[in-house]
């Protein structure tokens, strides 16, 4: 049954009840669901809920809202030098795709996703794991929403962070190798930094091995199974669509030719500072040779999400589950895909601060290797100063909102959201 037919069904059912006793009759949506009066269900506002990680929370889109921590305290921006586990750094954005999607019949929207979220965080408080944020489990937050709302749509994005690898680590690894290669000659690592520093382009094995992807798939499957079981228990009318969104790569398959070399040097040379500065300014400090590995990684994430969706469809045949493939949603508008990057792109450029200053460096031109090392270390010590990098920006989340609009209305179980050469978005 389509999720938006639920309201009409409840209204019709209430209309057929002719006595006070009948009006107090209860309905059970799924085995184990809590019984609630039909009239009470009809009075609840319909809600859409977002769960998962940064691509769902709205990382990169700005306009971040306060987040209630595990102690029930709403955390606003705590300052750039605050611990990164502060709940605010979940970066739940008013511009997130959930808030930009056109969802007829939905009266309330709740963003429970958290940047850096892992499968662990679905059923367990994130604060209980290393580098977790001080928020309650996403299922506990979902249960709280269900007390006063009828959940009709759930958007979940999960899998890019897990106990084997995280998107942030993958991105920083490849970017740092490029920066090290661009600014420091091989001999200088020994003279100035005391030893070798990896500066080769990333290969597929550097990002996530097949064994790690398999482990991440199993981990994500367990978490989503817990989510669907909980939904069937707490949603009184049993009518809800769950959209499984995967990931889109912020970088192209190859850089626009303008970014191939600078001052006669490409990124296969030893030290190429002008080219490094140019790519940083454009938002794509990355070896060209790393791009293929990055796209293999993002493709594997898509396969992970699709696998979880397929497994859940078999285990929960009565549930309304849709897989939303967004891997081509940013086609033609990725970082460094056009000469004017990052203008007009749908993703945030990598941006660093020189310490927790709140001032993002738009250019690294003129900095020496010691300054570059200091700037890079700011991202390590104060991750919030760079965590927006290589995520959908506000325009990108608007596109993902269009993707969600299509996924919420489709009759299909699997759909792909694609951006055409003229910028039009289609979901089919």
């Amino acid at each position: 049954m389509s999720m938006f037919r639920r309201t009409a069904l409840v209204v019709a059912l209430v209309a057929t009840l002719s006595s006070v006793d009948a009006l107090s009759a209860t309905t059970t949506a799924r085995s184990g669901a809590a019984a609630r009066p039909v009239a009470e269900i009809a009075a609840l506002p319909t809600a859409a809920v977002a769960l998962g990680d940064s691509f769902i929370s709205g990382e990169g889109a700005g306009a971040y809202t306060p987040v209630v921590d595990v102690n029930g305290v709403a955390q606003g921006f705590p300052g750039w030098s605050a611990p990164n586990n502060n709940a605010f750094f979940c970066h739940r954005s008013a511009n997130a795709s959930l808030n930009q999607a056109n969802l007829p019949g939905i009266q309330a929207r709740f963003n429970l996703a958290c940047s850096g979220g892992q499968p662990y965080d679905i059923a367990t408080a994130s604060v209980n794991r290393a580098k977790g944020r001080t928020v309650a489990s996403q299922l506990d937050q979902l249960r709280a929403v269900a007390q006063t709302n009828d959940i009709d749509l759930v958007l979940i994005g999960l899998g890019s962070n897990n106990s084997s690898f995280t998107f942030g680590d993958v991105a920083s690894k490849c970017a740092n190798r490029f920066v090290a290669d661009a600014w420091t000659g091989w001999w200088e690592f020994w003279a100035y930094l005391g030893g070798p520093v990896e500066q080769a382009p990333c290969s597929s094995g550097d990002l996530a091995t097949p064994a790690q992807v398999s482990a991440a798939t199993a981990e994500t499957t367990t978490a989503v199974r817990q989510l669907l079981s909980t939904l069937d228990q707490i949603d009184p009318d049993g009518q809800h669509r769950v959209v499984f969104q995967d990931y889109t790569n912020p970088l192209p398959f190859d850089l626009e030719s303008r970014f191939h070399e600078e001052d006669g040097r490409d990124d296969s040379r030893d030290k190429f500072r002008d080219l490094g500065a140019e790519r940083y300014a454009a938002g794509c400090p990355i070896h060209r040779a790393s791009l293929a590995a990055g796209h293999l990684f993002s493709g594997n994430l898509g396969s992970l999400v699709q696998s979880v969706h397929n497994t859940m469809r078999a285990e929960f045949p009565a549930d309304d589950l849709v897989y939303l493939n967004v891997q081509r949603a940013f086609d033609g508008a990725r970082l460094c895909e056009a000469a004017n990057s990052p203008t007009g792109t749908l993703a945030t450029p990598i941006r660093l601060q020189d310490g927790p200053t709140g001032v993002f460096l738009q250019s690294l031109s003129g900095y020496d290797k010691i300054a570059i090392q200091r700037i890079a270390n700011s991202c390590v010590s104060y991750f919030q100063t760079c965590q927006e990098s290589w995520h959908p920006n506000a325009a990108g989340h608007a596109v993902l909102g269009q993707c969600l609009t299509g996924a919420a209305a489709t009759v299909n179980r699997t759909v792909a959201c694609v951006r055409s050469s003229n910028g039009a978005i289609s979901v089919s």
Side-chain angles (χ1 to χ4, degrees):
M1 179 181 294
S2 171
M3 66 173 218
F4 295 122
R5 289 172 55 193
R6 188 229 22 100
T7 302
L9 174 62
V10 173
V11 171
L13 181 57
V14 172
T16 64
L17 300 177
S18 57
S19 68
V20 173
D21 289 340
L23 282 172
S24 65
T26 60
T27 181
T28 299
R30 292 280 191 271
S31 162
R36 298 171 79 167
V38 171
E40 179 183 333
I41 297 171
L44 293 175
T46 55
V49 180
L51 300 166
D53 59 28
S54 58
F55 276 67
I56 302 298
S57 72
E59 183 71 82
Y64 304 120
T65 60
V67 176
V68 175
D69 68 14
V70 71
N71 297 313
V73 178
Q75 297 290 336
F77 176 58
W80 290 108
S81 60
N84 188 252
N85 68 351
N86 188 283
F88 176 83
F89 294 124
C90 279
H91 275 179
R92 293 174 180 169
S93 173
N95 296 321
S97 61
L98 178 77
N99 297 324
Q100 301 202 59
N102 181 17
L103 303 173
I106 292 295
Q107 298 167 290
R109 307 183 193 213
F110 298 89
N111 187 350
L112 309 181
C114 185
S115 185
Q118 297 191 14
Y120 177 97
D121 301 342
I122 294 297
T124 310
S126 177
V127 69
N128 293 332
R129 67 168 173 83
K131 297 184 179 180
R133 296 205 164 88
T134 56
V135 291
S137 76
Q138 293 190 25
L139 287 187
D140 280 348
Q141 296 176 64
L142 182 67
R143 292 184 185 100
V145 170
Q147 291 297 310
T148 54
N149 296 270
D150 184 14
I151 298 170
D152 273 359
L153 177 67
V154 175
L155 170 65
I156 182 166
L158 205 62
S160 70
N161 306 309
N162 51 78
S163 58
S164 297
F165 56 83
T166 69
F167 171 78
D169 286 345
V170 165
S172 62
K173 178 185 294 185
C174 297
N176 284 341
R177 287 187 180 190
F178 173 80
V179 170
D181 198 15
W183 266 268
T184 311
W186 66 269
W187 64 272
E188 292 173 299
F189 286 118
W190 293 94
Y192 295 99
L193 304 180
V197 176
E198 188 65 64
Q199 54 182 317
C202 284
S203 64
S204 57
D206 293 321
L207 307 185
T209 66
Q212 289 175 323
V213 174
S214 178
T217 302
E219 195 175 323
T220 306
T221 299
T222 297
V224 175
R225 182 182 293 116
Q226 293 170 310
L227 165 62
L228 297 184
S229 296
T230 299
L231 273 170
D232 286 345
Q233 293 167 6
I234 65 176
D235 183 24
D237 68 2
Q239 301 299 315
H240 48 258
R241 169 164 291 186
V242 181
V243 176
F244 295 62
Q245 180 189 295
D246 64 9
Y247 302 88
T248 188
N249 196 311
L251 299 172
F253 287 92
D254 194 10
L255 308 181
E256 203 276 340
S257 59
R258 171 188 167 184
F259 305 112
H260 287 184
E261 66 175 49
E262 183 65 41
D263 195 30
R265 288 176 175 259
D266 62 21
D267 61 16
S268 66
R269 297 281 301 269
D270 181 45
K271 195 187 301 186
F272 39 89
R273 293 182 182 180
D274 288 345
L275 179 61
E278 182 177 55
R279 286 191 193 167
Y280 174 85
C284 56
I286 189 79
H287 289 97
R288 288 179 68 197
S290 295
L291 294 172
H295 277 274
L296 179 61
F297 174 74
S298 58
N300 285 338
L301 291 180
S303 297
L304 183 161
V305 175
Q306 186 172 29
S307 175
V308 174
H309 170 258
N310 291 341
T311 299
M312 292 300 97
R313 283 195 65 196
E315 292 187 18
F316 295 82
D319 283 12
D320 185 4
L321 311 179
V322 174
Y323 166 51
L324 172 60
N325 181 327
V326 298
Q327 293 171 56
R328 294 191 55 201
F330 288 8
D331 280 5
R334 304 174 194 271
L335 291 162
C336 296
E337 200 161 18
N340 63 341
S341 180
T343 301
T345 64
L346 295 173
T348 57
I350 280 191
R351 287 294 178 259
L352 304 171
Q353 296 180 20
D354 192 355
T357 63
V359 178
F360 291 99
L361 300 176
Q362 306 300 316
S363 172
L364 296 182
S365 181
Y367 286 95
D368 63 23
K369 54 186 168 289
I370 302 301
I372 292 295
Q373 182 187 26
R374 182 186 68 243
I375 291 166
N377 284 342
S378 294
C379 180
V380 176
S381 300
Y382 307 96
F383 183 63
Q384 60 271 15
T385 63
C386 63
Q387 74 179 56
E388 292 181 301
S389 300
W390 282 354
H391 281 84
N393 56 25
H397 280 282
V399 167
L400 295 177
Q402 293 182 58
C403 299
L404 177 58
T405 298
T410 186
V411 296
N412 300 319
R413 299 302 89 199
T414 297
V415 292
C417 184
V418 178
R419 183 179 185 275
S420 68
S421 58
N422 65 2
I425 303 298
S426 63
V427 182
S428 60

